Amino acid sequence: MAEVFYDEHADVGSLKGKTIGVIGYGNQGRAQALNLRDSGLEVIIGVRADETRRQARDDDFEVFSIREAAGKADVVLILIPDEVMPQVFTRHVLPELAQGKAICFASGYNIAFKLIEPPEGIDVVMVAPRMIGAGVRQRYLEGRGFPSFVGVHQDATGNALKTTLAIAKGIGSTKSGVMLLTFAQEAELDLFTEQALGPAFGQVLLSAIQTLIDAGYPVEAVMVELVLSGEFAYSMQKIVEMGFFQQMELHSHTSQYGSMTRSVRFMNPQTAQTMKDVLEEIRSGAFAREWEAEQKAGLPVFNQIKEARNLHPIAEWERKTREAFRLL
Ligand code: NDP
């Protein structure tokens, strides 16, 4: 198993006296900045002049331009969307990365696929929470942890891992444990979840909905049965808490027997092969190159698919169901 670190392996004190510059004040930026400050560290924010700048000021942070914050900080946390990061990094952060500083990513993507090539002489580390920003903050306030993947891409000072673990502890993650991975492993796992599990599950769900609607069941009944009652989501939560098979004990014997005997019919070798192909595309960098080209072209495919997606009747089915069951 890859190495896992907990609270006892990390020392927030190693960052005392240093300035942490959080670039971006969105999902992760706000949560991590608040947690790090509550952990006793000196945190400043670097953002563009608009909405999130106001939010950071309202939260009583000292706020600067991205370049100024990168210049003042000893440790720079870059917490802006991955797709804008290379440009922002090159223009506003790179010129301020003096030797001995550290830059911390919350995703391995740009380093793994060489969209950002950091200079020598700085530490390049990763603390990538397996948790949305709101959860990062909420769990911290509740005194509970959340898992993260951490990594060291470049250790110029000899202290890169120490810095990584201190940040991970400062945001509250080492309470659960943080696993040491490469930037590439983190990015590939993340993309695979988005490109294989998510779409496969989405297609299965749409097939189930369509099968029942085609068979003549009322749309509202189908939607509430399969999704909107929250029963299925509850079972997913129980999988997390109890285990994939153990949670079955919460269901009736009829449900268990029917599910176990029919599950084999859905074992589709084609799905496994498609997943392998998707993984290969991710690992080879083909996806990252495709996505970069798509952005440079002004997102034609992205916008076209979004438009087509809006033509699907599911949003209307959901609306009618919420209305029928007063789920609004
Ligand atoms: P957000 O989309 O929430 O980031 C918003 C922030 O980025 C705002 O401050 C916004 O400023 C700024 N920003 C957006 N575009 C630009 C730009 N072109 N130039 C300068 N600033 C810009 O990002 P996330 O928090 O979702 O993601 C940050 C990092 O965390 C990513 O690496 C992501 O992969 C990682 N991550 C995210 C998770 C999540 O929960 N979303 C989970 C785990 C990791 P403005 O208001 O000016 O637009």
Side-chain angles (χ1 to χ4, degrees), residues 182-229:
T182 64
F183 280 50
Q185 285 173 324
E186 189 280 336
E188 288 160 13
L189 287 172
D190 194 38
L191 293 175
F192 183 80
T193 311
E194 294 164 0
Q195 295 179 25
L197 179 63
F201 176 75
Q203 287 305 326
V204 166
L205 184 59
L206 286 175
S207 294
I209 293 171
Q210 199 62 57
T211 302
L212 293 177
I213 290 176
D214 289 349
Y217 296 94
V219 164
E220 296 85 345
V222 170
M223 293 302 292
V224 94
E225 174 68 32
L226 293 180
V227 200
L228 293 181
S229 65

Side-chain angles (χ1 to χ4, degrees), residues 68-91:
E68 277 174 326
K72 286 176 187 294
D74 303 294
V75 178
V76 177
L77 269 60
I78 184 148
L79 298 173
I80 60 176
D82 291 319
E83 64 271 22
V84 301
M85 207 181 275
Q87 205 183 23
V88 174
F89 176 83
T90 309
R91 280 199 194 155

Side-chain angles (χ1 to χ4, degrees), residues 155-201:
D155 185 4
T157 64
N159 283 323
L161 183 59
K162 210 170 161 188
T163 302
T164 312
L165 295 179
I167 296 166
K169 187 171 185 177
I171 66 169
S173 189
T174 43
K175 273 202 165 69
S176 284
V178 299
M179 180 174 275
L180 192 62
L181 293 184
T182 64
F183 280 50
Q185 285 173 324
E186 189 280 336
E188 288 160 13
L189 287 172
D190 194 38
L191 293 175
F192 183 80
T193 311
E194 294 164 0
Q195 295 179 25
L197 179 63
F201 176 75

Side-chain angles (χ1 to χ4, degrees), residues 228-246:
L228 293 181
S229 65
E231 193 184 356
F232 188 73
Y234 184 81
S235 293
M236 291 297 288
Q237 184 55 36
K238 289 297 156 193
I239 288 178
V240 175
E241 290 166 15
M242 299 170 66
F244 193 66
F245 291 128
Q246 285 87 335

Side-chain angles (χ1 to χ4, degrees), residues 24-29 47-48 50-52 66 78-82 84-85 88 106-107 129 131-133:
Y25 203 69
N27 293 313
Q28 288 294 327
V47 276
R48 299 189 295 194
D50 69 357
E51 194 62 29
T52 51
I66 292 176
I78 184 148
L79 298 173
I80 60 176
D82 291 319
V84 301
M85 207 181 275
V88 174
S107 142
M131 181 63 62
I132 59 167

